[in-house]
Amino acid sequence: MNVTPSLSAADHAVKLDRLAETAVRVGLGLRDGQELVVTAPVEALDLARRVTEHAYRAGASLVTVILNDDEQSLLRYRHARDESFDAAPAWLFEGMAQAYRNGAARLAIVGDDPTLLAGQETSKVARVNRARSKAYSPALELIASFAINWTIIAAATPAWARCVFPNDTEDRALRKLWDAIFSASRVDVADPASEWAAHNAALARRTATLNARRFHALHFRGPGTDLFVGLADDHEWAGGASTAKNGIVCNANIPTEEVFTTPHRARVSGHVRASKPLSYMGALIEDIAVRFENGRIVEADARSGADVLHNVLNTDEGASHLGEVALVPWSSPISKSGLLFFNTLFDENAASHIALGQAYSKCFVNGDRLSEAELAARGANRSLIHIDWMIGSAEMDVDGLDTGGGRSAVMRAGEFVI
Ligand code: ZN
Ligand code: ZN
């Protein structure tokens, strides 16, 4: 193929701009006069600027962009004193939480290098993650409870592109990753807004069907997997657009293909094997296999990154329980791309998955009106972490179980049949 550089650069600029506009209009549903907090890797400055422009054009009162730099993160591992690894900028996260309490929306641009911390001491990585999770929790709580409208989008970065396309030159890898992001984010079409409206409507039909069935549990069967996931009392399936507590309709993840709900923290049993590697905080955990008893992981192993997995499970009591179960057809566009993105935003939308840790209150009937105690009584899990990992495959069957023991096919060979 022969494309003049200027033409392809112009095409890239158009799609980048559509991604920014889609993030602001569809992802956030940014309200006139609303403040916006953006975080982004330095390599995504171009996208962050376009987001800023579209936010102001949509009436934002103030846009604050916080940039992060992988190189600076590594300098800490190379040169900082030991006590540094228990430190986190609590003042920054408290400030972000304060902005959300005052009505700000939140947009995260992700483009993490999946292998950034691969060479670092796992105990130090674990301490940094724990300190960060603790300090971040005031802000995370407002996000997890959908107190505000928020969204996550992705930007291709050189280090990430190298992981996804290791056999290409850096330029080519970057271009391919951008194309994959544009396509998965549904901005490679002339009118992304109407494309997203149709996609959201399809996801809404799927959640309505599952909500009408009121299953007591799901039974997953596939290679290495025979798992019963009890669903929380008064659980509600969600997917696609949702209404935050501030009344604004937003799409929290771009892309998104999943429908998801809350498992009962004490009613998960059996064993399950991951169908894709999990990239977590710069480490790769491959071939996770765990066994649940009474909702808790009692055995956990992985072919690589087992120490990282064990550190994750030791974060707190809730880290060994489930906070989410999600169904994604194997034929989803991201799955069909055949790519492993080493990034949860993409990989979780390629396969059915479960998440360790914090549950979403919005996945309950009237969840936004329930107290912490009421959520816990219905089976919601609490934790500092929320980590999705993929269990779905073309060989996965899922049944829905009724309270009375009735069984209905929900998925066969990775596809919805309900
Ligand atoms: Zn999910
Ligand atoms: Zn999740």
Side-chain angles (χ1 to χ4, degrees):
M1 199 174 72
N2 212 335
V3 184
T4 61
S6 60
L7 188 70
S8 112
D11 181 55
H12 177 82
V14 167
K15 286 175 182 165
L16 197 70
D17 199 64
R18 280 194 198 134
L19 178 58
E21 183 169 13
T22 302
V24 170
R25 304 259 174 198
V26 178
L28 294 173
L30 196 72
R31 185 181 279 167
D32 191 30
Q34 198 176 16
E35 192 173 334
L36 175 61
V37 177
V38 179
T39 54
V42 284
E43 294 89 348
L45 186 56
D46 199 14
L47 179 58
R49 284 184 177 145
R50 282 168 196 267
V51 163
T52 303
E53 179 187 329
H54 281 287
Y56 280 124
R57 286 165 77 176
S61 62
L62 179 67
V63 181
T64 303
V65 179
I66 301 166
L67 295 173
N68 46 65
D69 176 24
D70 282 350
E71 202 47 47
Q72 289 180 328
S73 306
L74 287 178
L75 288 171
R76 180 180 183 185
Y77 284 91
R78 276 183 211 132
H79 303 293
R81 289 186 197 165
D82 188 67
E83 58 266 34
S84 163
F85 297 94
D86 298 311
W91 56 270
L92 174 65
F93 299 137
E94 185 46 54
M96 289 167 83
Q98 192 57 48
Y100 306 153
R101 284 184 214 111
N102 293 344
R106 158 95 169 106
L107 187 148
I109 301 176
V110 297
D112 311 38
D113 174 358
T115 60
L116 181 71
L117 302 176
Q120 306 303 330
E121 253 178 75
T122 52
S123 62
K124 283 185 178 167
V125 176
R127 284 163 64 198
V128 167
N129 288 344
R130 184 191 293 260
R132 191 187 182 285
S133 297
K134 224 181 212 163
Y136 189 57
S137 66
L140 182 65
E141 261 181 40
L142 294 163
I143 289 171
S145 66
F146 269 85
I148 55 154
N149 48 328
W150 56 273
T151 193
I152 307 178
I153 60 171
T157 59
W160 181 19
R162 223 178 292 133
C163 284
V164 183
F165 301 103
N167 301 321
D168 289 294
T169 61
E170 184 170 298
D171 265 16
R172 204 174 147 73
L174 252 184
R175 219 166 39 236
K176 281 167 117 174
L177 183 55
W178 270 121
D179 281 345
I181 291 170
F182 292 144
S183 157
S185 307
R186 294 168 196 263
V187 298
D188 60 345
V189 294
D191 184 4
S194 61
E195 183 83 9
W196 270 94
H199 182 46
N200 277 326
L203 290 170
R205 281 193 296 275
R206 195 167 282 160
T207 57
T209 304
L210 288 164
N211 281 327
R213 300 301 297 266
R214 303 246 41 95
F215 288 127
H216 181 66
L218 298 177
H219 182 197
F220 290 84
R221 271 166 307 153
T225 294
D226 189 353
L227 181 73
F228 286 90
V229 178
L231 300 181
D233 304 337
D234 293 336
H235 69 272
E236 186 156 87
W237 288 87
S242 59
T243 308
K245 283 184 196 168
N246 63 8
I248 298 176
V249 177
C250 64
N251 263 95
N253 287 184
I254 290 181
T256 188
E257 303 290 336
E258 58 173 344
V259 294
F260 57 103
T261 194
T262 308
H264 194 290
R265 77 182 299 281
R267 293 201 289 105
V268 180
S269 62
H271 53 270
V272 57
R273 182 180 292 276
S275 56
K276 285 170 183 276
L278 170 65
S279 171
Y280 179 68
M281 300 276 181
L284 202 60
I285 314 176
E286 292 177 282
D287 287 342
I288 301 174
V290 305
R291 192 166 66 80
F292 285 90
E293 262 177 30
N294 301 318
R296 194 171 155 269
I297 292 179
V298 291
E299 278 171 48
D301 202 7
R303 185 166 53 83
S304 70
D307 48 347
V308 180
L309 176 65
H310 290 133
N311 281 329
V312 164
L313 294 174
N314 287 330
T315 307
D316 54 23
E317 207 273 323
S320 326
H321 294 260
L322 293 188
E324 179 193 335
V325 58
L327 300 177
V328 180
W330 190 245
S331 61
S332 92
I334 297 173
S335 170
K336 272 205 257 178
S337 77
L339 296 172
L340 183 64
F341 284 86
F342 304 100
N343 180 304
T344 301
L345 181 61
F346 290 80
D347 292 329
E348 77 160 330
N349 285 303
S352 294
H353 56 271
I354 49 182
L356 300 172
Q358 182 68 33
Y360 289 116
S361 59
K362 79 159 179 174
C363 289
F364 283 91
V365 178
N366 296 325
D368 52 353
R369 274 174 258 154
L370 298 176
S371 67
E372 285 303 333
E374 288 167 327
L375 288 167
R378 284 160 175 75
N381 191 37
R382 264 182 78 87
S383 171
L384 289 171
I385 62 159
H386 177 99
I387 301 172
D388 302 90
W389 50 282
M390 285 49 82
I391 63 169
S393 71
E395 293 139 298
M396 180 69 85
D397 290 342
V398 184
D399 283 347
L401 309 180
D402 301 323
T403 324
R407 183 180 273 269
S408 334
V410 174
M411 294 181 111
R412 284 293 175 268
E415 300 302 325
F416 278 98
V417 292
I418 193 167

